[in-house]
Every structure is written in C-alpha cells, then in structure tokens.
C-alpha cells in the first residue's frame, strides 16, 4: 500500500518554481509620430486644423524634417485625405508642430532646425548672437568665414566662440 510519490503525478517538465507566476518587465517605447500626435492632442484646434496638422506629422521623415514643399502637401491633403486647405493654413499648422518636443521638429532645412532649437534656449547675449548668425550669416557660418562674421557683427573672438558653442 505504498502511495504514489508526487513527482510521478507531475509532468516531466514541471518545476515547483512554475507555481509562482514570473513577471517579465518590459517597456513600450512611444514612437516619434505617436509622441507628436499626443502633443497635438493638447492643442485647441478645430477638426479641420487637426486633420491638416496630423497629415503634416505623417509627412515628416525619420529625422523630424519636412522635406516636401507646402504646395505638394496641400495637393496631397486634397487628393489623399479629401481636405481642402491652403499653403497659409499648412504653414500655420507647421508653426504649431515646430513648437513641439524635440526642439527642431518640423524644420525644412538645417538652418531652420538650428533656429528652432536655439529658440528654446534662455535669452542671453550668446543666444542672441547665435540667432543673428544663423539668421543673417548662415552661409558665412557654414563656409567657416568667421572673420567676416566677427567684422560684420562687431564681435570679439570670445563672443563668436560663445555664440558658436550655443549653436
């Protein structure tokens, strides 16, 4: 009258640890587009404006740049999304998107991206000079004609270096 040992009543791969549920933690990372769409949801927009802005967010490339002309976006909105709009309205929605995080999103070129990013900095003499350099002397800046920039803006070498550090 021997009782059947408990190990014989279990499946071969059964383990006592299996009785406790194992929780594996993982994180779900929000996509870039989802993050922008969420930020858009916090804006007080009409349904029409929301549709235009949402289409613009979908038109951004993986780097966050808008590489298409506003005119072609107006056409695509009309044909693909059946939304009639103007370049002015698309531009105003783009300006809203350009206020979102990360700074620089929605820029159409490197210069605009840098200007959008520097706009988020606290105002200081370096930031003001950096903004002037990007606005008025971007070609000289990209071609490393720093002496021209210093002469035209009346900056010292240390002021130029401080502005470049902000850029």
């Amino acid at each position: 009258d021997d009782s059947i040992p408990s190990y014989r009543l279990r499946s071969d791969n059964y383990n006592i640890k299996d009785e406790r549920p194992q929780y594996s933690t993982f994180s779900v990372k929000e996509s870039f587009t989802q993050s922008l769409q969420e930020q858009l949801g916090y804006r007080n927009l009409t349904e029409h404006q929301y549709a235009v802005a949402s289409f613009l967010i979908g038109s951004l490339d993986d780097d966050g740049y808008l590489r298409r002309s506003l005119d072609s976006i107006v056409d695509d909105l009309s044909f693909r999304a059946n939304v009639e709009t103007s370049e002015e309205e698309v531009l105003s929605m783009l300006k809203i998107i350009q206020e979102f995080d990360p700074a620089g999103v929605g820029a159409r070129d490197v210069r605009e991206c840098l200007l959008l990013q520097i706009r988020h900095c606290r105002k200081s003499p370096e930031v003001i000079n950096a903004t002037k350099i990007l606005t008025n002397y971007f070609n000289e800046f990209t071609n490393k004609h720093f002496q021209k920039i210093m002469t035209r803006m009346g900056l010292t070498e240390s002021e130029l270096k401080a502005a470049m550090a902000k850029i």
Side-chain angles (χ1 to χ4, degrees):
D1 287 331
D2 290 336
S3 64
I4 301 173
S6 62
Y7 73 89
R8 302 273 290 177
L9 297 173
R10 297 183 185 147
S11 65
D12 288 349
N13 62 355
Y14 183 81
N15 189 342
I16 292 178
K17 284 192 334 187
D18 290 342
E19 291 179 2
R20 289 181 290 151
Q22 297 295 319
Y23 296 103
S24 61
T25 58
F26 63 94
S27 66
V28 177
K29 192 168 186 178
E30 187 177 58
S31 79
F32 177 63
T33 304
Q34 288 171 327
S35 171
L36 295 176
Q37 288 286 359
E38 182 180 338
Q39 293 176 67
L40 182 62
Y42 292 118
R43 296 299 175 124
N44 188 16
L45 301 174
T46 66
E47 194 174 314
H48 178 79
Q49 290 172 322
Y50 184 86
V52 172
S54 186
F55 190 88
L56 270 171
I57 288 171
S59 299
L60 299 177
D61 66 12
D62 292 338
D63 296 331
Y65 281 91
L66 182 65
R67 302 218 190 260
R68 302 180 56 221
S69 72
L70 297 181
D71 186 43
S72 67
I73 290 173
V74 169
D75 289 344
D76 279 356
L77 272 162
S78 179
F79 292 116
R80 289 185 184 176
N82 200 24
V83 174
E84 292 297 322
T85 188
S86 65
E87 276 189 53
E88 292 78 24
E89 185 176 28
V90 171
L91 182 60
S92 71
M93 292 299 103
L94 179 61
K95 296 292 182 198
I96 289 173
I97 292 168
Q98 289 176 339
E99 294 172 4
F100 293 170
D101 284 331
V105 70
R108 291 167 281 181
D109 56 33
V110 173
R111 178 176 170 238
E112 187 175 27
C113 183
L114 291 170
L115 282 166
L116 290 169
Q117 290 174 1
I118 209 149
R119 184 172 57 179
H120 283 79
C121 295
R122 190 171 42 93
K123 293 289 181 220
S124 67
E126 298 87 20
V127 170
I128 292 168
N129 286 336
T131 303
K132 286 179 184 175
I133 290 169
L134 292 172
T135 304
N136 302 323
Y137 304 104
F138 186 71
N139 287 334
E140 289 85 349
F141 176 74
T142 56
N143 292 322
K144 299 182 181 183
H145 296 153
F146 303 126
Q147 192 60 46
K148 270 188 190 177
I149 295 170
M150 286 173 25
T151 304
R152 290 181 182 170
M153 289 184 63
L155 299 176
T156 65
E157 189 173 335
S158 63
E159 289 172 326
L160 178 68
K161 285 182 180 180
M164 287 178 53
K166 286 295 180 184
I167 294 172

